[in-house]
Amino acid sequence: MAPRPVLDHTPREGVRTFTPRWRNSPLTDERMDTLLPGRALPDGPLVPAEAFGRQGPVVLEIGSGHGAAAIAYAAAHPEADVVAVDVHVPGIARMLAAADAAQVANLWVHPGDALPLLTERIGPGTLAAVHLFFPDPWPKTRHAKRRFVQQHTLTLIASRLAPGGVLRIATDIDAYAAHCRTQLEAHGGFDVVEGERPTWRPDDGFEAKGLRHGRSVSEFRCTLR
């Protein structure tokens, strides 16, 4: 008999979706000191007109890694403000340097966990889209509770999306794709279309690695009902 899916409607205490293990190099520290202040979100609740100096679509990318997708989206959509969130400081430092080199003015960076940001600082209906590209798959069944896509995170994201807002998910791990299908179907708050790869997203990082290893990429476009 197949194991019953994990359907967590509330967060489990002490369960994190990431493992904070890294060391900062002097270059990482220098980039964080010099480049982050100009792209950091102001403290407190996010008020887009005040934070970005304009009122337009706000897109949140969760687990932005080195920032290739976030930078590409920002360059292709100058009308939007992109907030890239990640816990991995060396990756954030690389993203800051790449964004500076690409001269994208509409990319903003938040070092930290996306869940407190969504829960405590981003208000209902603020976001036009949320992107979750190649999240940590936590492949072992006993670790399924650590996968980012859960009932409570889908409910939280749905509450922060504006009407008609979109959640995009991509993964090159079949087990994670199956997990997403189960969670999205059980949640029922989104209309889901599979297989649409956004043309603006570069073939970079985990996607390129997965393709080199013969894996296929599953794409989910989830529109808020």
Side-chain angles (χ1 to χ4, degrees):
M1 181 181 296
R4 296 179 63 184
V6 175
L7 298 175
D8 284 345
H9 293 273
T10 57
R12 298 193 189 196
E13 186 176 354
V15 172
R16 293 188 297 197
T17 61
F18 58 90
T19 303
R21 295 176 182 172
W22 64 80
R23 291 182 180 179
N24 287 3
S25 68
L27 179 59
T28 290
D29 289 336
E30 178 187 357
R31 286 170 168 172
M32 294 295 287
D33 290 342
T34 59
L35 299 177
L36 180 60
R39 294 188 182 272
L41 297 179
D43 294 335
L46 178 63
V47 181
E50 297 177 5
F52 310 134
R54 62 177 181 172
Q55 191 73 48
V58 180
V59 176
L60 178 70
E61 183 173 311
I62 299 171
S64 49
H66 299 156
I71 293 169
Y73 187 93
H77 300 83
E79 76 286 357
D81 286 288
V82 182
V83 179
V85 182
D86 206 298
V87 298
H88 186 247
V89 175
I92 290 171
R94 284 185 58 183
M95 174 168 52
L96 288 166
D100 191 54
Q103 298 183 327
V104 290
N106 55 331
L107 178 76
W108 310 90
V109 177
H110 177 73
D113 187 354
L115 290 179
L117 178 68
L118 281 163
T119 303
E120 301 166 11
R121 298 179 58 191
I122 295 179
T126 298
L127 303 174
V130 174
H131 297 162
L132 181 68
F133 296 142
F134 305 95
D136 190 327
W138 292 101
K140 296 181 180 179
T141 301
R142 69 176 184 272
H143 291 155
K145 61 183 179 292
R146 296 188 180 276
R147 295 170 183 165
F148 188 88
V149 177
Q150 304 288 347
Q151 296 299 289
H152 64 90
T153 54
L154 291 172
T155 296
L156 177 59
I157 288 170
S159 73
R160 273 36 182 177
L161 286 171
V166 175
L167 166 65
R168 285 190 177 273
I169 306 170
T171 180
D172 63 323
I173 305 299
D174 289 345
Y176 200 94
H179 172 85
C180 289
R181 292 186 190 99
T182 298
Q183 296 292 329
L184 289 163
E185 182 178 359
H187 187 270
F190 298 88
D191 291 319
V192 181
V193 174
E194 286 196 47
E196 291 186 3
R197 186 188 188 282
T199 56
W200 49 263
R201 195 181 73 217
D203 176 357
D204 187 87
F206 286 111
E207 181 172 7
K209 181 179 178 180
L211 294 173
R212 286 197 304 271
H213 285 81
R215 296 193 290 268
S216 59
V217 175
S218 295
E219 305 271 359
F220 299 86
R221 179 172 58 82
C222 316
T223 304
L224 184 66
R225 287 179 172 168

